[in-house]
């Protein structure tokens, strides 16, 4: 059974994106941060008839420090690990007040989403709460000073996976949160990237216009935590997709489509741009390359298995 | 007892400098503490750190309001933050600047030492990181700690964070800066907008801080009020736009994390306006422009 | 008005319906489970028109309540023991953001060791979260106080969340006759919740819960402290109004029972109060000058009322169903604090921990200890553990 309604888009593009800023300048993100690119665009699409929720994360701090705030729309923060349920609580209360038309969106980091916040996220998804959940994935706990998260990739330096003499960076692989969300059988799950804006805008707009639980995970590089040139935020995001380190797809009612077919360029270029991978040995780079190939292969099979024509 | 306040930006290593100074003083047999202004500032935002040194154990756990010395890692801050606020009349300012002390403008005229720590750092480290070089200037200008102790302090604090080899380079930066420091007296001609903080009493403060947009004598508060926060001072490089090359594709407008690029005009007269008062100088716009119509310049 | 024989859990659930709550978010835990089940029945039978969020944990249930309340609607949840402990982090938000969530808590021992019976070591550690706490004695009071709780919590002078604390099994699973207030009378007593201080509405944007530097938080603490103190007066007013409309007067912050001319007064909270009433009658009949004070509100703490009681007796005993290790029971600690400067003995009697039954002999012993202290003007033992094997009371 299709669980969603809507999802129609008028095809918002960079050209037609409204000029009005609902997430204003003056926020205090580090220069070149990927997260505000996501938030600024998403707020333009969601529009003023929106209530927002934020867990503890970089965005909470750089988006507003009392008494100042960059958001012009209603804004709630409660805690770190309850974004999905807080958004759901807001939505239920709005519905009770007859304000069914208000969009409710939670923006959360990868840690607040896939690690500590996963229980609330999974619960809200299972109940198909009518909210849009946007995870900006910067692959670590940045707000507390660059500690590893489940979303940190293999080999990456963080302050809790230092490049030591015995162990060089993270020894485990990136948790595939979007796939876990797909297993919840919610109306919409998609990945996006600040390096592919047209695709990102289309997905945000589509998710906005659907009902039920919608999950978007958007790749948003953090130049501070990734130890890289602030000018390269978008470039590195593009390279992640082109090398298969991050895959763009979407799932609408159980049908999965690949949004951009990975070119499977060697991962070296992508890794070399970032100081967090500076210490990697050839052996480690080989492991990462192997991971990208394997992931790509599995993704293709996955897409094939859940394609439109496999739907009965 | 002497007290030092460091002014820098998030990411410039003001805290490490404060700690290295404490370590240096400790190695000369003093008691010393160093601490950050506990904040949540991101990279680029103005930050402070403190060092307190005495012969005997220090009990005071407060911030430093009336320092004997201020150390400024980035001279652009002097136009922005009243770095000399509370500085004792017989105190001294140690500033990273290529200007002579006599040409420095602060909120008050005090003894002042300058060194071009950025150039020193570029020469010795290959990076414009000035937190070690400035300590050499501190040693030279104040004579309170020897340059040998500063070197030892840097080896101790930097060494445990960035490794022996890099620490040694930083120690060298301090030594070079020591030689290049000049001392004089700065001007007290700088005036600062006394913006002031909105500090209502508990009855005026919205219950539980649930706040609607409001105009206060100290500026906007509540939703959308961050527009008052001019982050443009964070930048080192600024974008320069060439309208002749520009095809108005809006990529830079879209990507700018700080919303610093605005579209103005209609039809053919349409062009871009760069709001440098917000631009942090990240360079994304220049990097992504398909027509090479933006250059980053110092 | 209808009278029915129901459990405390049923009364707590029914009161939510009478209060016309907009959003309920809850998670089951023994011995609160029936509250969630009854509410589910009410909703599924079309009796209760609330959004009912069947959450995946208490942490989420309280988070949902906080978010819904911040959006401007009346919210309700219920929990016990581990569930309350899991909510701990979220409770502070409701208190500091002034969100008047109402929550019956079925007092149950907190592990370890794991147990399911009555103890107050779940609610007592939450006293500094900015929540009001009222401890009740019977199922009628569960019903009445759950409704009153909304009125107190939503009062503009207060705007704080509140727990209605009822003892596990002794109330939650025990049936007794309860008067069911008429809906129209409750509607008159409790108008709809229409907040202005915290409402997430795109037509009137507001930031709630933003990251705050030290320049503001101390004032926020003072606001909570002041509104908590304001509640002292509001509790009395609401009690008086309830008494007038529904004919049941609970005395407000505390209830005094036969304290006139008493030498020895025992301060109790929760269900032990009921059995203690019988013992007071028995002792009074035997010519022993004892009296009883039922401490109803633990937050706000009724300092003045306790002082008044102390001015008219020779010794006080304070009963606790929880202990702050090495320091005595929390209710006693607070009473002694309130009575600083008073010279009469104030002793602590601890019993019923982990849900052990507090028997009539136990309570006689409590009164005997207080009588003894009243006579001697001092106590041999300030903290008396009653019924603990190997410990001389
Ligand atoms: C219960 C709890 N544990 C720990 C923290 C500290 N904390 C705040 S934000 C954060 C990391 C956030 O990481 P992520 O969600 O990835 O967002 P980012 O900062 O990277 O944007 C942590 C560990 C907290 N606020 N609450
Ligand atoms: S630390 Fe990273 S994610 Fe956080 S504000 Fe800076 S660049 Fe953005
Ligand atoms: S990206 Fe370049 S060409 Fe496009 S609008 Fe900006 S400056 Fe003009
Ligand atoms: S340099 Fe960065 S902040 Fe400045 S205008 Fe360009 S993109 Fe925006
Ligand atoms: Mg993160």
């Amino acid at each position: 059974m299709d669980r969603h309604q809507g999802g129609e888009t008028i095809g918002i593009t960079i050209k037609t994106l409204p000029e009005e800023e609902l997430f204003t300048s003056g926020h205090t993100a580090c220069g070149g941060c990927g997260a505000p690119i996501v938030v600024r665009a998403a707020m333009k699409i969601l529009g003023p008839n929106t209530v927002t929720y934020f867990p503890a994360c970089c965005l909470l701090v750089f988006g507003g420090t009392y008494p100042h705030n960059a958001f012009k729309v209603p804004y709630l923060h409660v805690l770190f690990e309850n974004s999905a349920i807080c958004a759901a609580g807001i939505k239920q209360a709005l519905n009770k007040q007859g304000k069914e038309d208000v969009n409710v969106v939670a923006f959360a980091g990868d840690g607040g989403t896939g690690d500590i916040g996963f229980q609330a996220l999974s619960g809200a998804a299972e109940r198909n709460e009518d909210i849009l959940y946007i995870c900006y994935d910067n692959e670590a706990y940045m707000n507390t000073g660059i500690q590893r998260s489940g979303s940190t990739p293999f080999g990456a330096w963080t302050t809790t996976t230092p490049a030591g003499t015995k162990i060089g960076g993270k020894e485990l692989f990136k948790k595939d949160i979007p796939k876990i969300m797909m297993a919840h059988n919610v109306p919409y799950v998609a990945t996006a990237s600040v390096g592919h804006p047209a695709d990102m805008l289309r997905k945000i707009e589509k998710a906005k216009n659907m009902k039920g639980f919608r999950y978007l995970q958007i790749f948003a590089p953090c130049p501070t935590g990734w130890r890289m040139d602030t000018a390269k935020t978008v470039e590195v995001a593009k390279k992640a997709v082109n090398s298969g380190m991050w895959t763009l797809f979407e799932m609408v009612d159980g049908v999965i489509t690949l949004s951009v077919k990975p070119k499977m360029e060697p991962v070296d270029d992508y890794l070399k741009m970032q100081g967090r991978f500076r210490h990697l040995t050839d052996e480690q780079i080989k492991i990462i390359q192997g991971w990208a190939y394997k992931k790509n292969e599995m993704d293709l099979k996955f897409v094939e298995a859940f394609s439109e024509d496999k739907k009965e | 007892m002497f007290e030092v306040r460091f002014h820098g930006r998030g990411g410039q290593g003001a805290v490490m400098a404060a700690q290295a100074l404490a370590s240096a003083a400790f190695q000369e047999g003093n008691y010393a503490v160093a601490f950050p202004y506990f904040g949540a500032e991101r990279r680029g935002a103005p930050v402070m750190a403190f060092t307190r040194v005495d012969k005997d154990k220090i009990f005071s756990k407060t911030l430093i309001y009336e320092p004997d010395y201020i150390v400024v890692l980035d001279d652009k801050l002097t136009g922005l933050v009243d770095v000399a606020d509370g500085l004792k009349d017989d105190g001294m300012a140690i500033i990273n600047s290529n200007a002579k002390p006599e040409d420095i403008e602060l909120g008050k005229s005090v003894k002042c030492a300058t060194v071009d720590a950025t150039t020193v750092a570029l020469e010795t480290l290959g990076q414009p990181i000035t937190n070690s070089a400035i300590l050499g200037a501190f040693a030279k200008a104040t004579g309170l700690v020897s340059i040998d102790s500063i070197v030892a302090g840097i080896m101790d604090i930097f060494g445990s964070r960035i490794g022996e080899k890099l620490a040694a380079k930083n120690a060298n930066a301090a030594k070079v800066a020591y030689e290049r420091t000049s001392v004089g007296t700065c001007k007290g001609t700088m005036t600062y907008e006394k913006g002031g903080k909105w500090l209502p009493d508990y009855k005026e403060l919205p219950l539980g801080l649930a706040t609607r947009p409001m105009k206060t004598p100290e500026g906007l508060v509540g939703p959308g009020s961050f527009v008052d926060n001019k982050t443009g001072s964070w930048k080192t490089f600024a974008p320069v736009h060439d309208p002749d090359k520009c095809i108005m594709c809006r990529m830079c407008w879209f990507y700018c994390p700080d919303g610093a690029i605005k579209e103005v005009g209609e039809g053919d007269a349409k062009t871009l306006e760069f709001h440098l008062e917000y631009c942090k100088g990240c360079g994304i716009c220049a990097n992504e422009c398909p027509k090479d119509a933006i250059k980053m310049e110092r | 008005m209808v009278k029915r024989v129901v459990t405390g859990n049923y009364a707590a659930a029914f009161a939510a319906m009478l209060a016309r709550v907009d959003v309920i978010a809850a998670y089951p835990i023994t011995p609160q489970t029936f509250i969630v089940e009854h509410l589910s029945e009410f909703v599924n039978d079309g009796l209760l028109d609330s959004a009912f969020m069947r959450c995946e944990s208490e942490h989420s249930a309280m988070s949902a309540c906080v978010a819904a309340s911040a959006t401007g609607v009346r919210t309700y949840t219920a929990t016990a023991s581990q569930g309350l402990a899991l909510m701990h982090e979220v409770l502070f938000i409701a208190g500091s953001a002034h969100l008047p969530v109402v929550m019956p808590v079925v007092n149950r021992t907190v592990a370890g060791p794991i147990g399911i019976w009555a103890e107050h070591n779940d609610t007592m550690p939450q006293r500094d979260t900015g929540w009001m706490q009222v401890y009740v004695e019977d199922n009628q009071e569960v019903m009445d106080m759950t409704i009153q709780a909304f009125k107190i919590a939503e009062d503009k002078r207060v705007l704080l969340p509140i727990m209605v604390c009822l003892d596990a099994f002794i109330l939650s699973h025990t049936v007794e006759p309860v008067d069911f207030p008429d809906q129209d009378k409750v509607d008159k007593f409790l108008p709809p919740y229409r907040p202005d201080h915290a409402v997430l509405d795109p037509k009137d944007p507001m930031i709630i819960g933003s990251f705050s530097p030290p320049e503001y938080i101390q004032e926020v603490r003072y606001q909570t402290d002041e509104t908590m103190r304001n509640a002292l007066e509001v509790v009395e007013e609401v009690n008086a109004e309830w008494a007038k409309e529904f004919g049941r007067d609970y005395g407000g912050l505390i209830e005094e029972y036969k304290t006139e001319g008493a030498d020895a007064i025992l301060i109790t909270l929760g269900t032990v109060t009921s059995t203690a009433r019988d013992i007071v009658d028995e002792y009074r009949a035997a010519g022993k000058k004892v009296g009883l004070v039922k401490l109803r509100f633990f937050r706000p703490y009724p300092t003045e009322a306790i002082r008044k009681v102390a001015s008219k007796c020779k010794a006080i005993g304070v009963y606790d169903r929880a202990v702050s290790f090495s320091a005595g029971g929390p209710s006693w600690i607070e009473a002694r604090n309130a009575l600083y400067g008073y010279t009469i003995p104030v002793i602590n009697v601890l019993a019923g921990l982990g849900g052990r039954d507090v028997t009539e002999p136990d309570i006689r012993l409590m009164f005997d200890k207080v009588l003894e202290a009243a006579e001697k003007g001092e106590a041999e033992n300030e903290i008396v553990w009653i019924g603990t094997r190997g410990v001389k009371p």
Side-chain angles (χ1 to χ4, degrees):
Chain A
M1 188 187 69
D2 286 0
R3 294 176 87 187
H4 83 282
Q5 310 147 13
E8 297 77 17
T9 59
I10 55 161
I12 292 183
T13 63
I14 291 179
K15 288 269 184 200
T16 58
L17 210 54
E19 188 72 29
E20 192 195 352
E21 308 283 355
L22 293 169
F23 172 70
T24 71
S25 304
H27 67 74
T28 55
C30 311
C33 179
I37 302 178
V38 172
V39 176
R40 193 172 153 249
M43 287 316 302
K44 283 175 185 285
I45 295 174
L46 290 166
N49 197 26
T50 302
V51 178
T52 57
Y53 179 83
F54 307 87
C57 58
C58 268
L59 174 53
L60 173 79
V61 179
F62 74 65
T65 295
Y66 196 80
H68 302 299
N69 206 288
F71 287 89
K72 287 188 177 164
V73 294
Y75 169 106
L76 178 68
H77 161 68
V78 177
L79 290 165
F80 185 22
E81 65 278 46
N82 55 3
S83 309
I85 183 65
C86 287
I90 294 168
K91 184 67 190 178
Q92 297 273 2
L94 287 167
N95 286 351
K96 278 309 280 184
Q97 295 166 305
K99 301 172 189 167
E100 281 93 353
D101 60 326
V102 179
N103 306 307
V104 179
V105 60
F107 288 101
D110 48 290
T113 297
D115 296 344
I116 195 169
F118 189 72
Q119 177 178 308
L121 175 67
S122 175
E126 180 266 328
R127 295 190 302 276
N128 198 26
E129 299 281 2
D130 186 17
I131 60 164
L132 170 56
Y133 190 105
I134 299 181
C135 166
Y136 66 96
D137 187 359
N138 55 23
E139 303 196 319
Y141 303 155
M142 296 310 178
N143 186 46
T144 36
I146 324 170
Q147 293 83 30
R148 61 88 86 188
S149 74
S151 199
T152 304
F154 178 89
W157 163 92
T158 67
T159 55
T160 49
T161 54
T165 45
K166 187 163 161 232
I167 300 167
K170 192 182 177 194
E171 294 183 287
L172 301 162
F173 294 91
K174 183 178 173 81
K175 187 197 267 194
D176 197 342
I177 310 165
K179 292 250 176 56
I180 308 172
M181 294 316 294
M182 285 169 141
H184 285 71
N185 196 25
V186 291
Y188 192 70
V189 177
T191 55
S193 164
V194 296
H196 287 72
D199 179 65
M200 175 173 97
L201 296 181
R202 182 182 64 77
K203 284 169 175 170
I204 297 172
E205 192 195 359
K206 185 164 186 167
K208 172 196 173 185
N209 294 330
M210 285 171 84
K211 285 231 165 298
F213 195 90
R214 294 144 280 158
Y215 180 82
L216 258 168
Q217 187 164 330
I218 305 182
F219 197 76
C222 158
T224 302
W226 295 12
R227 299 176 147 184
M228 50 172 254
D229 182 352
T230 54
K232 306 281 184 187
T233 297
V234 173
E235 194 181 321
V236 84
K238 285 192 173 111
K239 282 218 164 77
V241 170
N242 292 344
S243 60
M245 292 297 290
W246 181 244
T247 316
L248 301 180
F249 60 78
E250 70 185 326
M251 180 183 96
V252 185
D253 280 327
V255 175
I256 304 174
T257 45
L258 209 55
S259 313
V260 172
K261 195 162 180 313
K263 297 184 188 133
M264 297 314 290
E265 289 168 357
V267 295
D268 302 53
D269 260 12
Y270 172 70
L271 301 176
K272 288 223 171 77
M273 290 176 77
Q274 306 168 51
R276 63 173 172 158
F277 294 118
R278 191 181 330 166
H279 60 280
L280 292 187
T281 60
D282 291 348
E283 190 55 37
Q284 283 176 306
I285 294 176
K286 236 191 243 157
I287 293 174
I288 295 173
Q289 185 64 70
W291 178 85
Y293 282 140
K294 191 155 169 220
K295 173 174 153 60
N296 181 53
E297 201 179 299
M298 277 173 59
D299 283 347
L300 292 179
K301 279 189 193 147
F302 208 59
V303 169
E304 160 71 18
F306 293 91
S307 62
E308 187 67 51
D309 28 294
K310 290 281 159 61
K311 204 181 178 190
E312 80 288 53
Chain B
M1 159 113 70
F2 70 90
E3 297 180 316
V4 188
R5 187 172 66 210
F6 289 78
H7 291 269
R9 294 180 180 281
Q12 286 182 337
V15 178
M16 263 166 88
Q19 291 176 347
L21 177 58
S23 172
F26 169 72
Q27 305 203 26
E28 292 189 355
N30 293 299
Y31 195 93
V33 294
F35 50 98
Y37 176 77
F38 309 99
E41 268 67 29
R42 306 288 113 168
R43 187 159 286 220
V47 297
M48 287 190 285
F50 306 90
T51 305
R52 200 176 255 136
V53 177
D54 200 2
K55 281 197 207 44
D56 304 316
K57 182 175 162 81
I58 294 165
F59 292 98
S60 172
K61 291 281 186 285
T62 71
L63 301 180
I64 292 170
Y65 298 97
E66 292 178 356
D68 301 284
Y69 303 94
I70 56 163
V71 178
V72 183
L73 274 73
D74 177 348
D75 63 346
K76 275 213 282 139
L77 282 171
T78 59
L80 214 78
V81 181
D82 187 1
V83 292
D85 185 34
L87 177 63
K88 294 203 178 108
D89 290 341
D90 58 351
M92 193 199 283
I94 295 104
I95 298 177
N96 166 24
S97 170
N98 56 11
K100 290 201 291 282
E102 287 67 30
D103 296 334
I104 297 284
E105 285 186 76
L106 296 181
K108 70 200 291 185
S109 173
V110 282
K111 257 175 96 183
C112 177
T114 59
V115 67
D116 186 354
T118 308
T119 301
V120 172
L122 285 169
E123 285 170 23
T124 52
L125 310 170
Q127 284 177 326
I129 299 173
T130 58
N131 60 343
S132 47
I134 200 76
L135 291 176
F138 182 88
K140 177 71 172 276
T142 66
L144 283 166
V145 279
S146 72
I147 184 67
D148 292 344
S149 304
I150 289 287
V151 165
I154 289 175
M155 290 313 289
D156 174 25
I157 299 294
F158 287 53
S160 64
R161 291 273 212 83
I162 58 175
E164 199 86 342
K165 249 170 60 194
L166 274 175
K169 282 191 177 177
N170 277 279
N172 186 42
K175 282 196 233 166
V176 174
Y178 183 86
E179 300 303 336
R180 295 192 195 166
T181 304
S182 40
V183 183
T185 304
C186 72
K187 287 190 253 190
T189 43
M190 185 66 87
T191 51
Y192 298 90
E193 247 179 77
K194 272 270 173 264
K197 262 201 173 137
W198 179 61
L199 297 171
D201 75 24
Y202 82 95
K203 279 196 178 123
E204 286 167 58
L205 192 67
L207 194 63
L209 301 188
T211 304
R212 295 183 164 87
M214 283 192 289
K215 267 209 178 79
T216 74
E218 291 82 16
L220 297 174
V221 301
S225 60
F226 243 161
V227 286
D228 272 1
N229 187 34
K230 302 289 156 60
T231 51
S233 65
W234 298 18
K235 66 174 141 324
T236 318
F237 297 96
V240 179
H241 178 228
D242 179 353
D244 294 339
K245 286 191 187 166
C246 175
I247 53 167
M248 291 304 290
C249 68
R250 299 237 277 183
M251 289 316 267
C252 56
W253 170 86
F254 172 80
Y255 282 129
C256 177
D258 291 282
I261 305 171
K262 299 266 178 271
E263 216 180 59
V264 290
E266 289 296 326
D268 281 353
K270 233 187 210 177
T271 185
L272 298 178
E273 223 173 65
F274 283 69
H275 287 252
L276 296 183
E277 73 273 25
Y278 295 119
C279 165
K280 293 174 189 155
C282 68
I284 291 180
C285 54
N287 200 60
E288 298 310 317
C289 173
K291 292 289 162 194
D292 219 9
I294 302 172
K295 287 259 163 318
M296 298 303 293
E297 285 174 16
R298 239 194 131 112
Chain C
M1 197 162 6
V2 197
K3 211 164 200 161
R4 293 167 63 188
V5 175
V6 298
T7 62
N9 278 344
Y10 192 86
F14 204 90
M17 184 155 68
L18 287 173
R20 298 188 187 280
V21 292
D22 296 301
V23 172
I24 302 167
Y27 191 80
I29 178 169
T30 302
Q32 155 271 28
T33 316
F34 284 112
I35 300 181
V36 184
E37 292 179 3
H38 293 315
L39 288 167
S40 305
E41 288 157 19
F42 298 157
V43 169
N44 282 12
D45 291 341
L47 300 170
L48 172 57
D49 180 27
S50 308
F52 187 15
M53 303 176 71
R54 288 129 172 128
C55 294
E56 81 296 330
S57 76
E58 288 88 353
H59 194 283
S60 283
M62 182 47 66
S63 298
C65 285
V66 163
S69 186
T71 311
V73 302
R74 183 170 288 160
T75 55
Y76 172 98
T77 183
T79 192
S81 179
Q82 314 300 137
L84 185 63
L86 188 58
M87 285 179 180
H88 180 65
E89 190 195 19
V90 202
L91 297 178
F92 289 91
I93 310 288
S96 63
H98 293 267
L99 304 172
V101 180
V102 172
M103 171 165 67
V105 178
V106 184
N107 283 116
R108 163 188 155 181
T109 190
V110 176
I114 186 167
I116 55 170
W117 295 274
E119 185 166 339
H120 295 161
N121 69 339
D122 52 358
T123 48
M124 285 296 168
Q126 310 301 345
R127 63 173 194 189
D128 296 337
T129 53
W131 283 64
M132 295 180 281
Q133 290 187 351
V134 56
Y135 288 80
V136 301
E137 183 186 352
D138 59 28
N139 292 350
Q140 185 68 59
E141 200 180 1
V142 172
M143 168 76 83
D144 293 357
M145 283 320 293
T146 305
I147 299 168
Q148 284 189 42
F150 287 100
K151 179 118 175 167
I152 297 163
E154 293 169 8
D155 190 286
K156 291 270 180 292
R157 293 163 288 174
V158 180
L159 291 168
L160 289 173
I162 179 167
M163 299 178 196
V164 179
C165 310
L166 56 143
D167 286 336
F169 298 105
I170 307 166
L171 295 184
S172 67
H173 286 60
T174 301
V175 295
E176 60 180 333
V178 172
D179 263 348
F180 281 54
D182 293 336
Q183 182 69 62
D184 48 342
K185 277 181 80 177
V186 174
D187 288 344
K188 244 183 71 205
F189 174 81
L190 185 67
Y193 178 52
R194 296 269 179 273
D196 180 60
H197 71 294
V199 195
L200 296 167
D201 179 359
K203 297 212 165 68
D204 180 15
M206 193 180 245
I207 48 169
I208 304 179
S210 99
F211 179 75
S212 308
E215 283 89 336
Y216 303 97
I217 294 183
Q218 191 159 320
E219 281 68 26
V220 173
R221 295 286 174 269
Y222 192 84
Q223 288 176 338
T224 306
D225 193 72
E226 183 179 68
T227 47
M228 187 67 87
R229 283 182 277 116
N230 290 346
L232 290 165
E233 185 186 336
V234 175
V235 165
E236 302 286 6
E237 284 175 23
V238 171
N239 177 70
E241 189 182 338
W242 185 267
K244 199 167 130 245
E245 295 301 323
F246 297 92
R248 285 183 292 276
D249 184 344
Y250 289 99
L253 296 160
I254 64 168
E255 185 207 328
E256 297 187 43
Y257 185 67
K258 300 196 176 166
T259 52
E260 281 322 306
D263 289 339
I265 289 178
L266 184 66
I267 301 177
T268 55
L269 75 182
T271 50
V272 164
T273 310
S274 286
T275 320
R277 287 178 199 272
D278 285 346
I279 307 298
V280 169
D281 292 349
E282 178 189 312
Y283 271 32
R284 281 284 186 161
K288 295 181 188 173
K289 291 186 181 171
V290 296
L292 182 68
V293 166
K294 170 181 166 191
L295 183 74
R296 300 185 69 241
F297 278 81
F298 189 67
R299 282 292 178 276
Y301 192 79
T303 302
E304 279 313 315
I306 296 298
R307 285 184 186 157
K308 265 192 205 131
V309 167
S311 337
K312 57 186 180 192
C313 67
K314 293 183 181 154
I316 284 184
V318 183
Y319 167 73
D320 267 295
R321 201 164 201 146
V323 60
S324 184
F325 302 110
S326 83
S331 185
W332 174 68
I333 294 169
E334 305 266 322
R336 288 246 296 202
N337 179 48
L339 297 179
Y340 179 74
Y342 285 66
T343 49
I344 58 168
V346 181
I347 64 165
N348 191 197
V349 285
L350 293 161
L353 306 188
R356 185 168 300 180
D357 197 25
V358 182
T359 63
E360 292 186 348
D362 290 342
I363 295 174
R364 281 191 200 102
L365 185 54
M366 293 176 198
F367 278 112
D368 293 346
K369 289 282 177 193
V370 191
L371 276 168
E372 191 188 308
E375 216 164 279
K376 292 190 183 150
E378 61 177 20
E380 189 190 339
N381 253 333
E382 288 195 311
I383 301 170
V384 185
W385 287 69
I386 291 175
T388 318
R389 290 185 297 278
V391 180
K392 197 175 142 275

